Amino acid sequence: MPTHEVFNQVPPLVDYDMADDPALLSGLAREGAGWATAELHDLGRLGGATAAIEHGRLANEHPPVLRSHDRYGHRIDEVEFHPSWHELMRTAVTYGLHAAPWSDDRPGAHVARAAKFYTWRPDAGHGCPISMTYAAVPALRHAPELAGRYEPLLTATTYDPGLRPALGKQGLLAGMSMTEKQGGSDVRANTTTARPEADGSYRLVGHKWFTSAPMCDVFLTLGQAPGGLTCFLVPRVLPDGTRNPVRLMRLKDKLGNRSNASAEVEYEHAVAWRVGDEGRGVRTIIDMVNLTRLDCLIGAAAGMRQGVVTAVHHAVHRRAFGRQLVDQPLMRNVLADLAVESEAATVLMLRLAGATDRSARGDTGEAAFRRLGVAIGKYWVCKRWPGHAAEALECLGGNGYVEESGMPRLFRESPLNSIWEGSGNVAALDVLRALTRDSQVLAAFEAEVDAAAGADPRLDAAVRRLRASLADPADAQLRARRLVEQLALVLQGVLLVRGGHPSVAEAFCASRLGGAHGYAYGTLPAGVDLTTIIDRATPKVG
């Protein structure tokens, strides 16, 4: 006879539509990309299917392997991936999650892409090369001749892996190779040298401490040319079919993001082409940095959604102390609080995706708003994700601490987005620079805030406190994190009051702005509509 009967275990969270997300769908329409709803649902059903979730598990269980030499001792510098990685990449490229919006004239194309990037999350690691390819295009446009040749392939929706000359492939992916071990985020401290050649190319010599996605076809990198720090395009394979001497020294052994390869590389007189003017390297890559920071925010918002949906699904199906977990008052407070945080992140990322779309079409006011908003959102949402992931994991109890639940992988992923493209201090100081160097930036933010004036007294009070902080120049750097927190909470409050669900907006203003919130999740005040908020985070399985 069996020793025990298995019961009161939660069914797998599979075969559901990951795009069935009310905050996502309403924001998609609000920001001008409602036309993408049907395709988003197609992708959402793919992402929630058993096959995609299994691909995500396998890609992490079998991380990439560096093959520096072949069996005969020839240097090959290749990275070997599990087939599941390639399946995830193929879907992402086919649905245009990479650079496809740059060749799409429809208003809202960048919003649609952001929504799809948010939705397709069977594994977060493969999003890295997808994000960098998206961000590479505006930087590459500083070299029109290069952009003319490479951009059509970067925006193509064909996944074409393998080491071959870039211009002979059907689609390309772009990576980044910026930081060095002595400088990190201080890229101006880079020591890689760039020697100009008679044919207009350069030869790079140096070591890069973090090269993101070394399997990509081309890379944007920085080097010290005679005229100063300069941006360059570096191909893996040269036009004649020979390997560019970009040596993969080792792959990083990372906390999370295990399915993706990050490498140390050495340039041994590697061939490169200049992108932008000599000495203007940082200026050339600034648009790229802003876009990858936006993707950090999108990824963190997506991780929050994944965490709260998993927690609610568990609570709906798990019984404890005589009733379902989802009916326990304190658990309901925790779940609703996690859902409020998730929706606030989602409305912010969609608003900034809309600003990105409109600024790409020449709207200078939206460009100014995006400049500040992305830095604020990158700091705040990415900072909030690790605590959110930990609380969502805890909702599953000991089951959440077990690898098979998927929650440990989500938790290990959660610190990355705050580190990538400038850690918290870098992002906070960037907000200060944006506020002090361009009056249009603050004016655009003020206009956004003023549009919600009078809608909620707690929001109005928070705005007054924020303006007092902005007017006080004392110890600005010392107070930078607190100021950015105020900016973020006011902005999220504005967006929820104007376009979010009323129950979510009320809970946010009462807790985050009204002072009725503790230090942990699950401390929403009495009177909040917990039922509606939890229902919005409950996945419809089957």
Side-chain angles (χ1 to χ4, degrees), residues 370-393:
R370 185 195 69 154
R371 169 73 180 88
L372 183 63
V374 167
I376 293 170
K378 199 276 185 189
Y379 173 86
W380 182 242
V381 176
C382 296
K383 278 286 178 207
R384 296 292 284 174
W385 186 18
H388 190 278
E391 193 69 61
L393 182 155

Side-chain angles (χ1 to χ4, degrees), residues 200-514:
S201 67
Y202 287 71
R203 297 295 181 272
L204 303 184
V205 176
H207 183 104
K208 295 295 178 180
W209 192 234
F210 274 98
T211 292
S212 296
M215 78 299 296
C216 290
D217 302 289
V218 295
F219 299 87
L220 289 174
T221 193
L222 292 171
Q224 298 288 355
L229 191 66
T230 303
C231 182
F232 296 94
L233 181 72
V234 180
R236 284 287 310 279
V237 181
L238 297 173
D240 64 2
T242 60
R243 302 287 180 87
N244 206 3
V246 178
R247 308 304 187 196
L248 304 186
M249 307 308 293
R250 63 171 175 168
L251 301 185
K252 299 290 193 180
D253 187 5
K254 299 173 293 185
L255 168 68
N257 205 247
R258 306 284 294 183
S259 68
N260 180 48
S262 301
E264 293 176 35
V265 306
E266 287 188 356
Y267 299 137
E268 296 181 359
H269 302 283
V271 177
W273 293 284
R274 180 166 52 82
V275 179
D277 296 333
E278 283 194 4
R280 303 281 288 176
V282 174
R283 177 66 63 181
T284 301
I285 67 169
I286 196 66
D287 284 337
M288 181 187 71
V289 169
N290 283 331
L291 289 170
T292 48
R293 285 179 176 175
L294 174 62
D295 273 10
C296 287
L297 193 167
I298 297 171
M304 287 184 183
R305 176 67 181 179
Q306 185 177 349
V308 70
V309 164
T310 303
V312 171
H313 175 76
H314 178 88
V316 166
H317 293 277
R318 183 77 165 175
R319 188 172 180 84
F321 307 110
R323 51 182 165 172
Q324 299 303 116
L325 274 178
V326 75
D327 295 327
Q328 303 277 1
L330 189 53
M331 178 59 81
R332 290 174 63 76
N333 196 318
V334 172
L335 295 173
D337 211 355
L338 291 172
V340 168
E341 192 75 31
S342 170
E343 291 208 27
T346 300
V347 297
L348 178 56
M349 78 87 175
L350 285 166
R351 174 65 183 93
L352 293 170
T356 298
D357 192 85
R358 289 181 281 275
S359 62
R361 301 172 197 284
D363 189 323
T364 56
E366 286 289 270
F369 174 75
R370 185 195 69 154
R371 169 73 180 88
L372 183 63
V374 167
I376 293 170
K378 199 276 185 189
Y379 173 86
W380 182 242
V381 176
C382 296
K383 278 286 178 207
R384 296 292 284 174
W385 186 18
H388 190 278
E391 193 69 61
L393 182 155
E394 189 175 328
C395 289
L396 278 65
N399 290 331
Y401 203 68
V402 174
E403 283 292 336
E404 289 172 315
S405 73
M407 297 302 277
R409 172 152 51 105
L410 184 72
F411 180 71
R412 287 194 299 271
E413 193 72 23
S414 63
L416 172 62
N417 291 30
S418 188
I419 296 170
W420 191 34
E421 287 300 0
S423 59
N425 285 351
V426 173
L429 293 174
D430 192 39
V431 170
L432 292 186
R433 280 191 294 272
L435 288 169
T436 57
R437 292 183 180 180
D438 187 348
S439 60
Q440 288 185 316
V441 164
L442 182 56
F445 184 87
E446 293 275 12
E448 190 80 13
V449 170
D450 287 343
D456 187 284
R458 295 156 299 190
L459 177 57
D460 290 341
V463 170
R464 289 193 294 272
R465 292 192 297 270
L466 171 61
R467 285 175 169 151
S469 295
L470 289 169
D472 181 7
D475 300 317
Q477 287 200 18
L478 188 66
R479 297 185 298 109
R481 286 190 175 216
R482 177 57 182 150
L483 176 62
V484 179
E485 178 178 326
Q486 287 182 278
L487 287 161
L489 290 173
V490 163
L491 182 53
Q492 287 181 320
V494 165
L495 296 174
L496 286 170
V497 165
R498 292 178 61 198
H501 190 280
S503 294
V504 178
E506 167 61 27
F508 184 91
C509 291
S511 57
R512 274 70 169 172
L513 302 179

Side-chain angles (χ1 to χ4, degrees), residues 142-217:
H142 287 268
E145 192 272 333
L146 287 175
R149 287 188 287 153
Y150 286 92
E151 187 174 327
L153 294 170
L154 291 168
T155 61
T157 54
T158 300
Y159 179 54
D160 189 4
L163 287 174
R164 299 188 302 282
L167 296 180
K169 300 182 74 173
Q170 294 180 291
L172 300 178
L173 294 172
M176 286 167 41
S177 190
M178 301 293 175
T179 62
E180 299 181 3
K181 53 182 174 284
Q182 79 285 348
S185 295
D186 184 7
V187 294
R188 295 184 187 276
N190 284 5
T191 61
T192 294
T193 60
R195 186 188 71 219
E197 299 292 314
D199 64 358
S201 67
Y202 287 71
R203 297 295 181 272
L204 303 184
V205 176
H207 183 104
K208 295 295 178 180
W209 192 234
F210 274 98
T211 292
S212 296
M215 78 299 296
C216 290
D217 302 289

